[in-house]
Amino acid sequence: MAFADYQNEIYFAALGGHAPEFPMDFATLEAKASAALPATLYSYIAGGAGDELTQRRNVEAFEDWGVVPRMLVGATQRDLSVHAWGLTFPSPIFMSPVGVIGLVGDKHGDIAVAEAASKSGVPAVFSTLMEDPLEEVIGHAGATPSFFQLYTPKNRDLAASLVSRAEAAGYRGIAVTLDSWVPGWRPRDLSIGNFPQLRGHVLKNYTSDPVFQKMVGSDDPQSIVLHWVQTFGNSLTWDDLEWLRSLTELPIVLKGISHPDDARRAIDAGVDGIFCSNHGGRQANGGLSSLETLPGVVDAVADRVPVLFDSGVRSGSDVIKALGLGATMVGIGRPYVYGLALGGVSGLVHVLRMILAEADLLMAVNGYPNIAAVRENIRSRR
């Protein structure tokens, strides 16, 4: 079944008296989710760094690009599949890690994400910050590959334990986040003193870890948070890559790469993937959008490893443009969180299918049978 067929399901269901349950566009989705989520949780999810210029620019940058239709090519069949790290994915999208997803819905949001991955075939990158231990989450993803995002702690034994647990549990790769060793300046959260981890939330991967348990030496909530604060936030250097590489045979992807020189050096150091991202504008304000830095990163990588991308993706059109600029796979962030907030697993799956349907239809209408055709026909509006 083509991803585009989702629109037929919606139309025919409406003929049978079943109106769509969930929104069909990001603006409405966000508005309804803002009403459904607790104010502090919505603030944490929706907010960005500083005056949120970079966050806005992440979204607006997609307007600077367009695609040129090609007619009479008979694009009745489209291939959106992707091959990476010896795996085949049915579509080019994935769910980016969201550190408070566990608090969305029934407080088991990580499991809901895994269930959505199983139902949709869209893989997820799960954050270190979970409300359920990583071993309990992955089983819900079924046959869909899962990946583990690592916030590298200062304690190397703890880092090794987290990676080892992820590998033993069946995660298929490790995404090491580089740009969050210290929280960015986030006025929305600062104005209400809102930092979920300091309140003991989403720390289950730590409290379930034998190394962390030994570090803390008690079940006292305040002691747990204090030890987490003391070990979180390792400002990694190039010298640390050899050590990280030694921890696992799984593919290692570096998340937060925006400069071509960093991409080249990372590949030379033996990493298996580059993740072009500015953390959705949540960490540093005033920078370029991730879409603006993507082409340079793609050129530097030169097809040696997959290039993942996220930040600012709101629609199937955005997915197509990111693919056109060379991304191997495109990460969805806030949209899927809002889908989960509105309708649990069903709402999340709807958002993924909605984005894929739009992307597939754009390829059909524009005459693109595959992703290569998108790349041949993308143009700057400037």
Side-chain angles (χ1 to χ4, degrees), residues 40-54:
T40 54
L41 189 53
Y42 176 72
S43 168
Y44 194 89
I45 294 166
D51 68 358
E52 301 180 350
L53 171 64
T54 298

Side-chain angles (χ1 to χ4, degrees), residues 219-230:
D219 294 328
D220 176 60
Q222 289 186 335
S223 183
I224 288 170
V225 170
L226 177 62
H227 279 81
W228 176 81
V229 169
Q230 291 173 340

Side-chain angles (χ1 to χ4, degrees), residues 10 30 47 58 73 79 95 97 104 149 168 175 194 207 258 279 287 290 293 301 326 346 372:
I10 295 169
E30 182 176 41
N58 277 338
V73 296
D79 181 11
M95 289 178 273
V104 178
Q149 174 268 339
N194 178 43
T207 57
S258 296
H279 219 94
S290 285
T293 63
V301 170
S346 295

Side-chain angles (χ1 to χ4, degrees), residues 94 253-259 273-279 289-298 306-311 327 329 331:
F94 64 95
V253 179
L254 294 188
K255 182 176 183 290
I257 298 291
S258 296
H259 196 289
I274 299 297
F275 196 149
C276 182
S277 167
N278 64 21
H279 219 94
S289 70
S290 285
L291 196 72
E292 289 172 299
T293 63
L294 176 62
V297 169
V298 169
V307 176
L308 277 59
F309 168 85
D310 76 6
S311 299
M329 298 186 75

Side-chain angles (χ1 to χ4, degrees), residues 354-379:
M354 174 179 73
I355 290 172
L356 283 171
E358 182 186 9
D360 192 16
L361 285 165
L362 283 171
M363 292 183 66
V365 172
N366 285 312
Y368 304 151
N370 50 43
I371 295 171
V374 178
R375 292 173 180 163
E376 291 172 1
N377 293 289
I378 191 166
R379 303 288 187 273

Side-chain angles (χ1 to χ4, degrees), residues 3 69 84 111 119 133 136 183 215 231 236 277 281 314 336 342 381:
F3 297 116
I111 289 175
K119 291 178 181 293
E136 296 180 19
M215 288 168 56
T231 193
L236 297 171
S277 167
R314 301 290 183 264
Y336 88 78
L342 284 183
R381 295 188 188 276

Side-chain angles (χ1 to χ4, degrees), residues 260 263-264 267 274 296-307:
R264 294 187 191 95
I267 296 172
I274 299 297
V297 169
V298 169
D299 287 345
V301 170
D303 293 326
R304 288 178 289 171
V305 299
V307 176

